Amino acid sequence: MSARTTAVLALVVAGWTSAVCAAPANDTLAQAKELYASAAYDEALAVLDRLQSASSVNETTSIAEYRVYCLLALDRRDEARKDIEGILHDNPQYLPPEDQASPRIQSVFRDVRRQSLPKIVMERYAIAKASFERKDPQAGPQFDSVLTLLDDPDVQASPALSDLRTVVTAFRDLTKAMAAAQTPAPMVARPFDTGTSTPPATELDSSRIYTSADLDVTPPIARTQRVPPWIPAARAIAAQDFHGTLELLVDETGAVAEATMRTSAHPAYNQLLLRATREWKFTPARRQGVPVRYLKIVDIHLKPAS
């Protein structure tokens, strides 16, 4: 082969390589939508996959939703459901527009929302609670966000979250009260004020809920706390360990005002446990000798019978 032929081949190969590499740069969301509309689902999905790694923030949701449309059209339901879960994790209130999603697609989204939103609510509640314990000012907006999610019809259908609103509202109000208390009051000069007067005693807020973060509060002590037995129906389940977290709002009388599973122990056991908490009694938490409301966390461990 002559040097001239080799040079020409090199140029052709280089040009072909450049064309192949440049092709994804021409991909657009509009192109993917046109391919989807023409029922070229595999081709649309390929374009969307390439766009996903280099998309702008504004296009992320649109790319993800059209991926779901293509996957459902190709009957790849498991992949579609995972993509929907990802969309909801970033935007729990998302639903596809009715003018671009068929009733079948709407139904799949609704189904995934009903299954995913309770878990997302508990995750966001845990984040807000952690912010509260760190005294992070973001806790207030985070609790507000959880309350907004609790209004969603797909969340209201979950019996496990029926008692959570009271707890979240109390924490939200407490966060606002703490923020207001941290704002220094203006100094007001009074005639003949020597600055040696005794400040008034701090009044206890009867609406406040205390936690383990309040070191000056004595936690509640269990007096009656019957835990229902764990009797799994299947032998395979009986051989496994399960862990969960129960959250109790113990009022000033020592009764359990609200009970919520922060993390599930086992679906078959959660409701048994929540019903049992209605009979639990505690010596109430105290601050400065006065009974107060307290949010108590109880770790649940379901283990095989010995």
Side-chain angles (χ1 to χ4, degrees):
M1 183 181 295
S2 67
R4 177 182 176 80
T5 303
T6 303
V8 171
L9 277 174
L11 287 172
V12 171
V13 171
W16 177 79
T17 304
S18 299
V20 171
C21 294
N26 297 326
D27 291 333
T28 64
L29 180 58
Q31 177 189 1
K33 290 180 178 181
E34 289 176 5
L35 289 168
Y36 172 77
S38 63
Y41 305 123
D42 283 309
E43 292 84 349
L45 197 56
V47 172
L48 292 167
D49 286 343
R50 291 194 292 269
L51 286 172
Q52 202 165 39
S53 61
S55 62
S56 66
V57 175
N58 293 335
E59 288 188 328
T60 300
T61 299
S62 294
I63 291 170
E65 67 187 9
Y66 268 90
R67 281 196 91 258
V68 171
Y69 302 163
C70 291
L71 289 169
L72 288 175
L74 294 168
D75 203 27
R76 293 159 60 177
R77 295 178 65 88
D78 290 343
E79 294 176 69
R81 294 176 74 90
K82 287 181 180 178
D83 277 22
I84 295 172
E85 289 173 359
I87 294 172
L88 294 176
H89 191 272
D90 294 333
N91 181 9
Q93 295 176 300
Y94 174 82
L95 269 175
E98 294 184 2
D99 60 350
Q100 73 180 36
S102 67
R104 172 174 169 267
I105 292 175
Q106 293 276 348
S107 176
V108 175
F109 266 90
R110 283 284 186 190
D111 184 46
V112 177
R113 286 183 98 252
R114 281 190 289 268
Q115 295 181 30
S116 300
L117 285 191
K119 180 180 177 181
I120 292 173
V121 167
M122 294 308 296
E123 288 175 351
R124 296 202 168 201
Y125 169 60
I127 292 171
K129 183 72 163 39
S131 296
F132 170 82
E133 292 174 351
R134 293 194 308 269
K135 295 181 170 54
D136 186 334
Q138 288 301 313
Q142 288 169 347
F143 283 126
D144 282 331
S145 175
V146 175
L147 288 171
T148 299
L149 281 178
L150 287 171
D151 287 332
D152 192 292
D154 289 333
V155 174
Q156 291 177 343
S158 174
L161 299 179
S162 59
D163 295 331
L164 187 61
R165 173 176 293 280
T166 301
V167 176
V168 176
T169 301
F171 269 119
R172 190 272 314 275
D173 294 345
L174 178 56
T175 302
K176 291 182 177 179
M178 290 171 63
Q182 290 173 359
T183 303
M187 297 294 293
V188 178
R190 295 183 177 85
F192 311 110
D193 186 357
T194 63
T196 60
S197 59
T198 303
T202 302
E203 295 184 5
L204 294 180
D205 183 356
S206 60
S207 66
R208 178 171 177 178
I209 297 176
Y210 294 88
T211 71
S212 58
D214 299 294
L215 301 181
D216 60 339
V217 176
T218 304
I221 300 172
R223 291 163 46 202
T224 304
Q225 192 174 355
R226 189 189 71 81
V227 178
W230 167 232
I231 308 176
R235 182 176 299 178
I237 295 176
Q240 301 179 50
D241 276 21
F242 297 94
H243 294 268
T245 308
L246 176 66
E247 201 165 68
L248 302 175
L249 177 58
V250 181
D251 67 18
E252 299 91 337
T253 69
V256 176
E258 304 289 347
T260 306
M261 294 302 300
R262 178 190 282 189
T263 55
S264 172
H266 189 278
Y269 187 76
N270 293 343
Q271 293 304 315
L272 289 176
L273 182 61
L274 290 173
R275 283 197 294 269
T277 62
R278 299 170 187 169
E279 307 299 325
W280 291 5
K281 299 294 181 184
F282 293 82
T283 299
R286 291 181 180 273
R287 181 171 184 264
Q288 299 176 6
V290 179
V292 294
R293 296 197 296 171
Y294 192 94
L295 194 70
K296 182 177 178 63
I297 307 300
V298 180
D299 290 326
I300 304 299
H301 181 198
L302 306 179
K303 56 185 179 180
S306 54

